Amino acid sequence: MIGLLVGVPLLGAAVLLCGGRRLDRTGHWLGTLLAAVSFAIGAALFASMLGEDAESRAMHSKLFSWVPVEGFQADVAFQLDQLSMTFVLLITGVGTLIHLYSVGYMEHDPGRRRFFGYLNLFLAAMLLLVLADNYLLLYVGWEGVGLASYLLIGFWQHKPTAATAAKKAFIVNRVGDAGLAIAIFLMFTTFGTFAFAPVLSSAGDASEGQLTAIGLMLLLAACGKSAQVPLQSWLGDAMEGPTPVSALIHAATMVTAGVYLITRSGAIFNGAPDAQLVVVVVGAVTLLFGAIVGCAKDDIKKALAGSTMSQIGYMILAAGLGPIGYAFAIMHLVTHGFFKAGLFLGAGSVMHGMNDEVDMRRYGGLRKYMPVTFVTFGLGYLAIIGFPGLSGFFSKDQIIEAAFAKGGTEGWILGAVTLLGAAITAYYMTRVMLMTFFGEERWRQAPTPSPAEPDVEPAAETRGEHAEPHPHESPKVMTIPMIVLAFGSVFAGGIFKAGDSFVNWLEPVTAFEHGHSPVSATTVTAATVVSLVIGVGAAWFQYGRKPVPVVAPRGNLLTRAARRDLLQDDFNHVVLVSGGTHLTRSLVYVDHKVVDGAVNGTAATFGGLSGRLRRLQNGFARSYAVSMFGGAAVLIAATLLMRAV
Amino acid sequence: MSGLPVPMTELAATATSTGEALQFWVLGTIAVLGGLGTVLMRRAVHSALCLAGTMIILALFYLANGAYFLGVVQIVVYTGAVMMLFLFVLMLVGVSAADSLKETLKGQRWLAAGCGLGLGILLIAGIGQVSVGSFNGLAAANAQGNVPALASLLFTKYVVAFEVVGALLTVAAVGATLLTHRERVEKNKSQREQAIERVRGGKQLPPLPAPGVYARHNAVDRPALLPDGSPAELSVNPTLRSRGQIREVSAEQLARLAAVEQRTAEYHGRSAYPGPKDPGERALERAAADRAEERDDDATERGTEREEEAAK
Amino acid sequence: MSPINYVYLAALLFTIGAAGVLIRRNAIVVFMCIELMLNAANLTLVAFSRMHGNLDGQIMAFFVMVVAAAEVVVGLAIIVMLYRARHSASVDDASLMKL
């Protein structure tokens, strides 16, 4: 039954990718259907799980022995506990909605069947990742997610930017994957196994140093998949993929994998405070990093990407807080899954109606033209900024509270950072909202290419639709998923919060503890709301009160840096690329001069020596006779000397 | 057996007599000279003769040391058989450039001298280190005669080695036969085939010209003259030529011959044989080329003198 | 005079023979030099036989002679072969075993 969860989308991917053109007309419905079937199986399992006691809800299912070697036992076995169940429902549920949306969004794309095949593959890999009962199988899913994201980001591979972005995502992910691989090696040497149950239950037996090493390597892996500093650079470029892909990556799959990994390995991090501290720092830095980047981007998808980075930063931070934060991290992950998927689908809907224009400076006043999109996007917006009563409010508020509850100076710093992040979130999301749906209708102005974003989608020009776009509402097949997600954005948080149901649900897996905050919950909530109001107000002051220029102003230094993703690529280029180039050059130099020199020198020495020695071999018997007599003389001399001594 | 310096009985004694010492110094010197001659004589035949002399002296030394049987065997086998074999092969092989003592390998002579000297010094030093006390004579061993004593040893103690050596000799004989035997792998050529081959190969078909024809002399070492007065190279044996034993016809003589012809023609009142364009000049060139080799020139001069005498 | 002088003489002759082997190019002369060396060895054997007072040395010398005779037979056959093939009895001419 658990295997079917993975098997169904995998079968869909196989059928769609191998099926050939005869599936071109029906394949997208098949893919959507299989995703829905997977969701139905998940829901059925969920229902049966609810019927059990809290402690006996976890299910195991061993398919077969994968690598049965003495002392190295790897099984293909699944473990479905509350944490996995949460992910399964999120992945299959949001995934199915995105499938449905894609039916409309990709309607005219010639590679639609292939696209749905990749989507199914993505789902299957992600499900494998969250369902695996050992780290090795998790690694398979982990790599599968990387592969599927590569294929989907580079889906329009005829665009060089897309192909480059796909490669970038893949390569940056590889760095993280190496971390995971090393973590698994360390686990095997430390514990002799890498199955979840024995590793996590015996984590207390290992030394803190070992746990810290494993934890840091797991964090590196999480950074790669979840786009955390310093491996965050791929996320913005990944917007080159079709918008449903962005929604899938940001909401349901891929970036949540890192949070899952850290939460799942909670027992290891609990034993390694240093690693936890690093996790928290990474989360906090990414939180602000993503938020600042999100403020400066004029590309709607890239602004949302910055937002994702920031929100995942929240989750990582919460996960780094230990048992007081795991449940909130997952809770925020789920609510974020709803509203971020909704926001991306909304952004896709806007682009769909605007001839694939992504520059927000050419939007404006769209609320009249696409009311459904406006309402769903607006609900997602309210949810993400944490408007009281909506999903994001509950989950984010909990994280801020937990950050304060960390205690000590760290607690205050983290609390301040999370509050600041909340304010910035409110600012940039309000900015997106105002620039897209309010204000004057800037698309009517002459379409000049924006100098700030030279790499924006040139499709409008190439298709010969220079004429002003005609904004229109998207078809039902696209709006229905948005409506469903909007419902999730509004109510999920409240449902989870009510009676701490979500925390209790996860408690058997993540061992929840109530943090003791130095400030009361009410104060934190009030501070959150205040920072929210400040953020919204600042955005309205800047973008609502006065018209938005079509051409981006030059901006101050920070803005310009943020437009370049806070110089992340420049940093990578200077430090990694040119550093690597120099290292390679010097290694090549060493190789040429030292290694080759030694080898060639040896060869030349022996060659020269042989050339000299060869002259002894002149073929003249008399020369040989001379050496014989010389040898005889030496022997006699040696004998005489021996006798003399 | 005149070399026997002392009676047989005394040889078995433990000391050497003055006579033997004298014999040693005289004959030893000759032996060393013979050895040096073997090495240094330019002609292989001379080397062989020097070696034979050394071997005979060694045979005398054997006799002086009480090895009567070996002394005789040395003379019979070595100087008699082996050296004759050497000479026989020498005759078969003939003279060649290998006879020259000029060294062709760079540094070989110095290396050889060094090795030889070193070896010699070391050997002699080694012998010098040995303390020689009183030595046993062969009196007891040779009591019943040297040959019977040897025979009893050879056929008892060393009988296996003796048999093996016999087998070795047989093998050597068979091996030598095999080595020098040439298997004929193709059919013998018939006379007709040989004739065809000769014509095809463009070789000299008629017999070679006889020496001395038209020359003033008909000895084998004197080339025949062609109608123009120049010597015919084919008419003399190439072996003689390589040995430098040919007597060339001198230019003056040819010129004189031409003058005689001329006068004869004038006397008879008929036109002289036109001859070659300038036979005298060609003969002069020829003579100049020949002067390069002294020996040949000497021979020619000697021959010329003789001919002049004969002409007078 | 001590019989050891025979040994000295033998060493001298042996050295002369060895030098001849190294210096001479005519294979037959080289061969003769080898014979000289063998004879020098025989002389030491005979002298030692006398010094030790038994005939084993003479037996050895006898065997050396026989083996030398066999060697001469084969060696001269080889020289004749060589001469037939190369029209030269120079050991330097048979210098094919070189690079």
Side-chain angles (χ1 to χ4, degrees), chain A residues 49-71:
Chain A
M49 192 183 269
L50 280 180
E52 307 270 348
D53 290 339
E55 296 302 326
S56 56
R57 276 172 177 166
M59 286 186 256
H60 281 274
S61 155
K62 180 179 165 182
L63 246 60
F64 56 89
S65 275
W66 183 15
V67 188
V69 180
E70 180 69 33

Side-chain angles (χ1 to χ4, degrees), chain A residues 614 618-620 622 624, chain C residues 22-24 92 95 98-99:
Chain A
R614 197 181 63 164
N618 54 9
F620 292 115
R622 291 191 295 142
Y624 304 158
Chain C
L22 300 184
I23 291 171
R24 294 308 297 259
D92 287 359
S95 62
K98 63 178 173 189
L99 288 166

Side-chain angles (χ1 to χ4, degrees), chain B residues 288-306:
Chain B
D290 283 348
R291 230 169 251 125
E293 285 168 326
E294 268 186 2
R295 180 193 298 246
D296 291 353
D297 278 353
D298 287 350
T300 317
E301 275 164 24
R302 256 182 276 129
T304 313
E305 282 163 16
R306 233 176 286 146

Side-chain angles (χ1 to χ4, degrees), chain B residues 16 20 39 41 55 62 65 74 78 93 99 102 104 108 116 128 135-137 146 149 157 165 179-180, chain C residues 1 3 6 8 15 22 24-26 35 39 42 50-53 55-56 58 65-66 68 81 83-84 92:
Chain B
T16 50
E20 194 188 343
V39 173
M41 282 292 183
M55 282 175 171
Y62 293 171
N65 277 307
Q74 170 85 358
Y78 259 120
V93 167
D99 278 354
K102 200 174 172 191
T104 48
Q108 171 77 11
F135 59 94
N136 309 317
N146 179 246
K157 193 174 170 187
V165 164
L179 274 176
T180 48
Chain C
M1 186 197 82
Y6 288 111
Y8 282 119
T15 309
L22 300 184
R24 294 308 297 259
R25 263 182 296 163
N26 191 331
E35 293 301 322
N39 272 293
N42 274 353
R50 182 182 182 193
M51 286 150 89
H52 284 281
L55 293 174
D56 289 333
Q58 294 188 14
M65 279 183 189
V66 177
M81 282 281 293
Y83 184 76
R84 272 190 201 153
D92 287 359

Side-chain angles (χ1 to χ4, degrees), chain B residues 188-272:
Chain B
N188 240 351
K189 278 180 187 150
S190 68
Q191 204 170 13
R192 180 183 166 76
E193 282 165 340
Q194 281 177 333
I196 291 171
E197 197 176 74
R198 182 179 290 192
V199 174
R200 293 248 168 90
K203 287 180 187 164
Q204 171 97 11
L205 286 180
L208 292 169
V213 178
Y214 288 121
R216 296 285 293 275
H217 225 277
N218 62 353
V220 286
D221 59 349
R222 177 85 39 162
L225 292 184
L226 293 172
D228 63 354
S230 61
E233 305 286 344
L234 283 173
S235 61
V236 282
N237 195 321
T239 312
L240 290 180
R241 186 177 298 286
S242 67
R243 283 186 189 160
Q245 290 173 338
I246 292 183
R247 286 189 249 205
E248 295 290 353
V249 186
S250 78
E252 302 92 75
Q253 232 179 326
L254 283 171
R256 228 177 295 143
L257 188 67
V260 167
E261 291 279 338
Q262 181 73 24
R263 279 199 298 275
T264 312
E266 278 168 10
Y267 180 79
H268 288 293
R270 59 189 173 193
S271 64

